[in-house]
């Protein structure tokens, strides 16, 4: 089964276009190193919780929007090898130094797929 890297970050709402530009460039690097699918999703209906929520998790401020992203890899082995190459790629270093958000508030992790149901 596939392996998924997931990310949640708070991005200044006024910086959606610069974020989108970096995400589009980065997605090409991930695909080059084995990723099957990359999705970047700009928050539209992301409520503030009482105990937990996406906004609370990334300390989202009033002028920011929560972004949910994921990268699908064919396997953890492909992900591990591909991610190592991504992290060494100078295009990614450039993207991260010019990231239009606070990278310290990003939440990320790798996940084994246990159910993958798709519409016919």
């Amino acid at each position: 089964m596939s392996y998924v890297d997931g990310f949640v970050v708070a991005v200044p709402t006024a910086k959606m276009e610069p974020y989108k530009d970096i995400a589009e460039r980065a997605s090409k690097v991930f695909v080059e190193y084995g990723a099957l699918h990359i999705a970047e999703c700009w928050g539209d209906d992301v409520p503030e919780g009482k105990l937990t929520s996406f906004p609370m998790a990334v300390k989202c401020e009033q002028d920011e929007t929560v972004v949910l992203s994921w990268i699908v890899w064919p396997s953890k082995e492909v992900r591990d090898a591909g991610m190592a190459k991504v992290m060494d790629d100078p295009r990614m270093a450039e993207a991260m130094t010019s990231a239009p958000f606070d990278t310290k508030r990003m939440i990320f992790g790798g996940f084994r797929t246990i159910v993958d149901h798709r519409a016919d």
Side-chain angles (χ1 to χ4, degrees):
M1 275 232 189
S2 60
Y3 195 80
V4 177
D5 280 312
F7 308 87
V8 181
V9 67
V11 177
T13 304
K15 294 189 176 184
M16 183 176 83
E17 286 305 317
Y19 179 86
K20 184 178 172 186
D21 178 59
I22 286 173
E24 286 176 350
R25 287 187 284 136
S27 70
K28 292 175 181 153
V29 177
F30 282 107
V31 168
E32 183 178 322
Y33 294 124
L36 300 174
H37 177 83
I38 291 96
E40 297 281 347
C41 305
W42 194 258
D44 181 56
D45 183 13
V46 186
E48 183 73 39
K50 291 184 180 170
L51 294 177
T52 63
S53 67
F54 283 117
M56 291 170 73
V58 293
K59 300 184 185 305
C60 193
E61 297 176 7
Q62 201 163 12
D63 64 339
E64 295 177 321
T65 299
V66 173
V67 175
L68 170 66
S69 309
W70 62 89
I71 304 169
V72 179
W73 303 87
S75 66
K76 185 171 190 311
E77 294 75 24
V78 172
R79 178 268 201 164
D80 289 348
M83 192 62 84
K85 292 175 184 171
V86 166
M87 292 298 122
D88 285 340
D89 193 298
R91 295 171 291 179
M92 290 303 292
E94 175 194 333
M96 290 313 291
T97 58
S98 62
F101 60 90
D102 182 359
T103 58
K104 292 185 277 314
R105 291 189 285 145
M106 181 189 318
I107 298 171
F108 58 91
F111 301 84
R112 289 183 298 121
T113 301
I114 59 171
V115 174
D116 187 1
H117 183 90
R118 298 168 193 242
D120 293 331

